[in-house]
Amino acid sequence: MAYLIQLDQPMGIIKLTNIRTYSYHGCLPEEAAIGSDYRVDLEIKTDLRKSAISDQLEDTVDYVFLNQVVKEEMAIRAQLLEQVAHRIILRVFKESPAVARILIRVSKINPPIGGDVEMVTIEMEEYRN
């Protein structure tokens, strides 16, 4: 017996947690030369109903694609984490029309801020217009 469920909010969420990169972001010259460890958490909202039924990759947002975008954009130096996060958001929206919302956190592990700080994180959330 097949059940058809009508939903008011037909969205699902895909999360990539703790994508680790070694990148060269920061305002200090030594950050550009030495680099640092980073963590990116990405959450996208999309309609998962079609892929849940079809079981086909082309009917969803491929998390391999999302991981690749994060890694490629993290490899491009920026002074601010906000700039890197913004580039990732723009690229995902451009290359994946099915994405309705993006929540991203970019964290610098052991930032050089003169104290015992595990990480500093920026968080941005954008919705498709």
Side-chain angles (χ1 to χ4, degrees), residues 21-88:
T21 70
Y22 195 86
S23 303
Y24 298 85
H25 309 302
C27 296
L28 302 174
E30 53 269 21
E31 292 176 298
I34 298 169
S36 184
D37 289 309
Y38 290 82
R39 169 189 174 155
V40 178
D41 298 302
L42 183 67
E43 178 179 301
I44 64 108
K45 196 170 198 180
T46 189
D47 189 341
L48 296 176
R49 292 177 298 174
K50 186 175 181 182
S51 61
I53 294 167
S54 73
D55 197 29
Q56 298 299 310
L57 183 59
E58 61 267 11
D59 292 332
T60 191
V61 178
D62 185 357
Y63 52 79
V64 173
F65 155 75
L66 295 171
N67 185 59
Q68 190 62 37
V69 168
V70 168
K71 291 192 323 187
E72 289 173 4
E73 294 301 325
M74 287 296 290
I76 301 169
R77 177 167 158 59
Q79 291 189 65
L80 301 178
L81 300 181
E82 293 90 323
Q83 210 274 333
V84 180
H86 183 67
R87 284 198 323 257
I88 292 168

Side-chain angles (χ1 to χ4, degrees), residues 5 12-13 16 20 34 46 48 75 80 82 111 114 125-126 128:
I5 301 170
I13 294 175
L16 282 75
R20 293 175 298 277
I34 298 169
T46 189
L48 296 176
L80 301 178
E82 293 90 323
E125 182 175 22
E126 294 288 340
R128 185 180 294 282

